Amino acid sequence: MDRNQRPRSIIDSLGEELIAILTPVSICMFTVVLLVCILNSDPSSSSSASFSSIATAAYSESDSDSSWDKFVGAFLNSLVFVAAITVATFVLVLLFYLRCVKFLKFYMGFSAFIVLANLGGEILVLLIDRFRFPIDCITFLILLFNFSVVGVFAVFMSKFSILVTQGYLVWIGVLVAYFFTLLPEWTTWVLLVALALYDIAAVLLPVGPLRLLVEMAISRDEDIPALVYEARPVIRNDSRLVQRRVWRERRSGQNDNDDVENRTNRNEVVRVVRSAEVDEEHVGSSERAEIYVPLIDRRPDQAENSETFLEGIGLGSSGAIKLGLGDFIFYSVLVGRAAMYDLMTVYACYLAIIAGLGITLMLLSVYQKALPALPVSIMLGVVFYFLARLLLEVFVVQCSSNLVMF
Amino acid sequence: MTVAAGIGYALVALGPSLSLFVSVISRKPFLILTVLSSTLLWLVSLIILSGLWRPFLPLKANVWWPYALLVVTSVCFQEGLRFLFWKVYKRLEDVLDSFADRISRPRLFLTDKLQIALAGGLGHGVAHAVFFCLSLLTPAFGPATFYVERCSKVPFFLISAIIALAFVTIHTFSMVIAFEGYAKGNRVDQVIVPVIHLAAGMLTLVNFASEGCVIGVPLLYLVASLTLVHCGKMVWQRLLETRNQSSASR
């Protein structure tokens, strides 16, 4: 029917970078939903009941309070949390300003180790308990320790295989997100909205800490030491995929008309986040600040209409897209919390978040400066969750329980 | 009835679309984006419909005409949205063609356009299956099963998965027919798609009669296979035409 040696069409490679960033986000969300479904399926278990952290410092929810009390309590909780994050981010900015980059890197590694060993260990213990998996303490500790140490190296040494690094980053995101879903319900939702608003303020206001951080990093032409997921760009050499190792060279202003894939002139697309603080379940007093700082940054290029349109949704060029780990975490928290209600809300929230991510990329191409990645997705996700829960569920259950479908 | 049964029901509804996804769609990132956006569109249409009908729910269980009204309004709304989807796709096609011209690559082939239409239809179908079948499957992973009186020979999960499979087929392939119909201005194709959708929706109303699903579901599959056959014929003809054209022009 077709000639065998057909020239490759443009839709073969269009949208690769976007898919390269959507895939890990989807995997992270899917893993968190799976963990929530497996570990929370027993409502009488006590493991999820006693999570206390800085996010529940002001008020811990109990079922007997009225809605207004719960709302006020949740609001206070999120104020405390956002205040703590603001302080931590300003400390980060100060340290970066004083060029204590080494200290920041060591602290990153340390917090990655703690997340992998401690939170990872807790999740694994819960899973072992749930599935009655026979393993003894010593083997478990040795394996966990090795796994965590490899993870720390993978995240901070650039010579590691990219798949291993990406896998570890997604796993760290899953762990932190799972623990955030253990917060009480009202607190989670109000916290997500508060963080979305904080993100807008921190990135767009002139005094916002993240904006200061971005500007300092750009002026010094340095990397921000942070946990950032990068989707490495891919070059096709005669239909074999070759992942580029060295991609950070920014050759600006090049205009290659021959081949789409050879364009390297744009797009360090990096995304902004905030720092998240996670407190231990049993060690109530210690605090850890894990700093996930992604930025959105673009080198402007020729602004042809259709091309900018395609650029904007990440389709045009072959630059790498970087997404901060905090974005992974809070998207997965939203979806995990939706999973605690029903699968329908999960799917609705997933689509809303993906749509929000697409819209953010489009806004990026229009505004050409650092943009927060959380607000659009979180707002859409929250709206879709409540719409699905209040409107959609009744409608669909009515129809399908009578086997009427369209 | 256990995890195996739950996964089985999910695969009954979504198995063919999963294999279609893995073999055709996952190779081209643009098609994955098309699937996601058409799923989102279907979800939004469902939310709007449920918002419109919310004041009237819950409907009384044994009266069938409110459900008929519900199906008719929903199908009309969704067909209207399909036309809107096609308009957006037309604009996108122009953008893609001018982009291809600028980077001196070939413009969109016919197979590309058909694949995009297929991806759009698959998005609609998968959204239907997820919302009408998968979202209710959570109890199926537990130790028991569930029967409804209207269709008491078959577990509820199985019959809804079977109906969902028929609808996935209908949605996927009627999108291809619709896009080709709108592109060529072919009246028959343009009209046949809403008719099929409405007929399929109405056929599920047959399930209202006691044991009606014995008649309703095979008829539904008849409609689905009609859609498949019509789509196959249409695509074959178009491909033959294009090949004849290109060999004639050489």
Side-chain angles (χ1 to χ4, degrees), chain A residues 9-259:
Chain A
S9 147
I10 49 169
I11 69 167
D12 278 356
S13 54
L14 216 51
E16 255 168 354
E17 297 87 24
L18 194 56
I19 295 298
I21 201 71
L22 281 183
T23 313
V25 172
S26 309
I27 292 177
C28 185
M29 288 198 250
F30 178 71
T31 316
V32 171
V33 167
L34 206 60
L35 277 178
V36 165
C37 288
I38 294 178
L39 293 177
N40 287 16
S41 58
D42 181 11
S44 60
S45 75
S46 59
S47 60
S48 53
S50 60
F51 181 61
S52 63
S53 77
I54 191 162
T56 50
Y59 163 77
S60 46
E61 190 171 312
S62 63
D63 285 332
S64 55
D65 293 343
S66 73
S67 295
W68 179 249
D69 280 343
K70 285 190 197 171
F71 179 68
V72 170
F75 187 64
L76 289 173
N77 271 344
S78 24
L79 270 183
V80 169
F81 193 77
V82 170
I85 287 184
T86 318
V87 166
T89 318
F90 271 114
V91 168
L92 170 66
V93 171
L94 186 67
L95 286 175
F96 193 66
Y97 180 68
L98 298 173
R99 297 182 190 270
C100 306
V101 178
K102 269 212 148 185
F103 171 73
L104 284 175
K105 277 197 161 317
F106 277 129
Y107 188 72
M108 277 318 134
F110 175 67
S111 61
F113 180 74
I114 291 294
V115 169
L116 282 172
N118 210 329
L119 298 187
E122 285 195 41
I123 299 255
L124 286 174
V125 164
L126 287 174
L127 284 173
I128 289 176
D129 185 39
R130 168 78 172 75
F131 289 117
R132 303 270 179 254
F133 190 65
I135 187 172
D136 62 291
C137 286
I138 302 196
T139 315
F140 177 71
L141 280 174
I142 292 178
L143 289 176
L144 184 67
F145 181 72
N146 283 341
F147 183 71
S148 316
V149 169
V150 171
V152 173
F153 283 139
V155 164
F156 287 105
M157 280 171 48
S158 56
K159 303 250 192 307
F160 249 78
S161 143
I162 188 69
L163 267 176
V164 172
T165 311
Q166 289 173 343
Y168 268 107
L169 283 169
V170 170
W171 180 242
I172 292 177
V174 165
L175 292 177
V176 179
Y178 178 73
F179 275 90
F180 267 100
T181 60
L182 295 180
L183 291 174
E185 184 170 8
W186 285 73
T187 308
T188 317
W189 291 110
V190 179
L191 185 67
L192 282 170
V193 175
L195 280 171
L197 294 172
Y198 166 77
D199 209 18
I200 299 181
V203 174
L204 296 178
L205 288 182
V207 311
L210 292 170
R211 183 163 171 169
L212 297 173
L213 202 58
V214 172
E215 285 168 1
M216 270 197 284
I218 292 178
S219 65
R220 294 188 204 167
D221 203 19
E222 275 177 18
D223 261 344
I224 300 177
L227 288 173
V228 167
Y229 181 97
E230 39 185 283
R232 288 277 168 86
V234 165
I235 297 184
R236 288 179 199 272
N237 279 337
D238 302 325
S239 80
R240 273 177 44 235
L241 296 175
V242 172
Q243 292 242 341
R244 274 194 290 179
R245 220 141 252 276
V246 183
W247 60 277
R248 279 193 66 79
E249 2 170 7
R250 311 174 201 178
R251 293 182 245 149
S252 56
Q254 264 187 8
N255 200 351
D256 218 349
N257 274 335
D258 312 85
D259 212 359

Side-chain angles (χ1 to χ4, degrees), chain B residues 3-247:
Chain B
V3 175
I7 297 183
Y9 295 136
L11 283 178
V12 165
L14 279 182
S17 20
L18 188 67
S19 43
L20 201 59
F21 185 84
V22 167
S23 58
V24 175
I25 310 262
S26 65
R27 311 217 165 204
K28 306 196 178 184
F30 189 77
L31 295 178
I32 304 181
L33 292 175
T34 314
V35 169
L36 285 174
S37 37
S38 81
T39 312
L40 184 69
L41 185 70
W42 206 91
L43 169 65
V44 167
S45 77
L46 201 62
I47 289 183
I48 295 178
L49 281 170
S50 58
L52 284 173
W53 273 92
R54 182 72 177 92
F56 306 104
L57 295 175
L59 297 171
K60 287 200 286 278
N62 290 319
V63 186
W64 64 269
W65 61 264
Y67 287 99
L69 200 58
L70 193 141
V71 166
V72 168
T73 52
S74 313
V75 168
C76 291
F77 186 68
Q78 285 187 339
E79 291 302 321
L81 272 185
R82 192 195 299 268
F83 185 66
L84 210 70
F85 192 46
W86 183 75
K87 283 278 185 221
V88 170
Y89 161 71
K90 212 59 193 102
R91 240 225 78 233
L92 184 70
E93 199 183 300
D94 294 333
V95 167
L96 284 176
D97 275 339
S98 65
F99 181 63
D101 284 339
R102 206 146 18 87
I103 59 172
S104 30
R105 286 290 211 85
R107 294 183 147 215
L108 289 176
F109 298 111
L110 174 67
T111 47
D112 289 335
K113 299 183 197 177
L114 290 175
Q115 278 176 345
I116 295 178
L118 187 70
L122 193 67
H124 272 43
V126 165
H128 173 103
V130 165
F131 283 98
F132 279 104
C133 172
L134 286 191
S135 56
L136 301 172
L137 264 188
T138 327
F141 287 90
T145 188
F146 181 63
Y147 288 84
V148 275
E149 316 98 39
R150 292 189 205 282
C151 201
S152 56
K153 307 279 194 274
V154 179
F156 167 69
F157 306 115
L158 185 58
I159 194 72
S160 77
I162 290 177
I163 296 180
L165 177 62
F167 268 101
V168 165
T169 320
I170 292 178
H171 280 303
T172 310
F173 294 104
S174 59
M175 186 69 87
V176 180
I177 301 177
F179 271 31
E180 281 303 303
Y182 290 131
K184 293 286 158 209
N186 184 350
R187 277 284 164 208
V188 172
D189 282 343
Q190 284 176 18
V191 166
I192 207 172
V193 166
V195 164
I196 287 181
H197 196 180
L198 198 59
M202 287 307 195
L203 274 173
T204 59
L205 287 174
V206 173
N207 294 327
F208 256 91
S210 166
E211 307 300 332
C213 52
V214 175
I215 314 170
V217 174
L219 282 179
L220 193 62
Y221 269 85
L222 190 65
V223 174
S225 32
L226 276 177
T227 321
L228 253 180
V229 161
H230 184 87
C231 179
K233 263 189 357 202
M234 187 195 75
V235 168
W236 185 257
Q237 273 173 357
R238 291 276 290 128
L239 286 172
L240 278 183
E241 261 173 39
T242 320
R243 188 176 66 165
N244 289 341
Q245 268 177 8
S246 63
S247 59

